[in-house]
Amino acid sequence: SLATDRVGHHTVRKLFHALPKIDDKAKLVEELVDGGNRLNGNAMGRAVSEECQVEQYRENRKDWRKVMTSTANAKEKNPADEIISEVTKKTDAQSGEQAKSKRKRKRKRSEKSEGDGKKDGSGKKRFVTDAIIEALTVQTKS
């Protein structure tokens, strides 16, 4: 009944793919075969039946095992997966670099918006007094 449930069928499908041994998958499919008419009675059950290839198991178990082992081997040796994972890693690294440079730009903007003030080690603003000192020295010279 889990395979025909609206949420439960996802669990059965994930469980089927997560099982490492063909024998374990065969036990699961055997249980699904016993469900027969009920499994094919709704859309969720039919999706599980199709993904686990219950009909093929019912007709010829040896052929089902061959298909499952070849599918498992194909998934393990798929070169496209390696390419996709490399592209994903590069994209993740680029997005990390973009975030880092965005933080730098934001930091520069905030420093510019502070105007004449600069921050000392304590985080408090201290005003640049060079311009004030220069103005006072000019007045005393005249």
Side-chain angles (χ1 to χ4, degrees), residues 12-21 25:
V12 174
R13 291 167 69 182
K14 293 282 185 178
L15 177 64
F16 179 77
H17 290 293
L19 291 172
K21 297 179 183 176
K25 287 183 181 190

Side-chain angles (χ1 to χ4, degrees), residues 14-131:
K14 293 282 185 178
L15 177 64
F16 179 77
H17 290 293
L19 291 172
K21 297 179 183 176
I22 298 296
D23 293 335
D24 295 335
K25 287 183 181 190
K27 288 178 186 176
L28 176 64
V29 174
E30 186 68 40
E31 290 294 321
L32 295 173
V33 166
D34 292 342
N37 292 334
R38 185 170 184 191
L39 189 64
N40 292 320
N42 70 6
M44 281 73 65
R46 284 189 296 273
V48 169
S49 177
E50 184 179 315
E51 194 157 336
C52 299
Q53 299 182 3
V54 174
E55 291 300 319
Q56 186 174 6
Y57 183 84
R58 187 178 296 156
E59 292 170 7
N60 192 340
R61 288 176 170 85
K62 288 182 181 179
D63 287 345
W64 178 87
R65 283 183 181 273
K66 287 179 185 176
V67 169
M68 287 297 122
T69 53
S70 66
T71 305
N73 290 338
K75 285 183 181 177
E76 290 174 5
K77 297 179 181 178
N78 191 353
D81 290 339
E82 292 177 24
I83 294 169
I84 291 170
S85 66
E86 287 177 20
V87 169
T88 304
K89 287 177 186 176
K90 288 179 183 176
T91 305
D92 290 344
Q94 287 174 347
S95 64
E97 290 297 320
Q98 288 173 346
K100 189 175 182 179
S101 40
K102 186 176 181 180
R103 286 191 299 267
K104 279 185 175 180
R105 286 192 305 269
K106 190 174 181 179
R107 197 176 312 126
K108 284 182 181 179
R109 275 189 232 127
S110 68
E111 287 174 1
K112 284 181 182 178
S113 68
E114 290 175 0
D116 291 338
K118 290 188 178 178
K119 291 186 178 182
D120 60 0
S122 65
K124 296 179 182 177
K125 279 188 178 180
R126 70 174 171 81
F127 292 99
V128 179
T129 57
D130 294 339

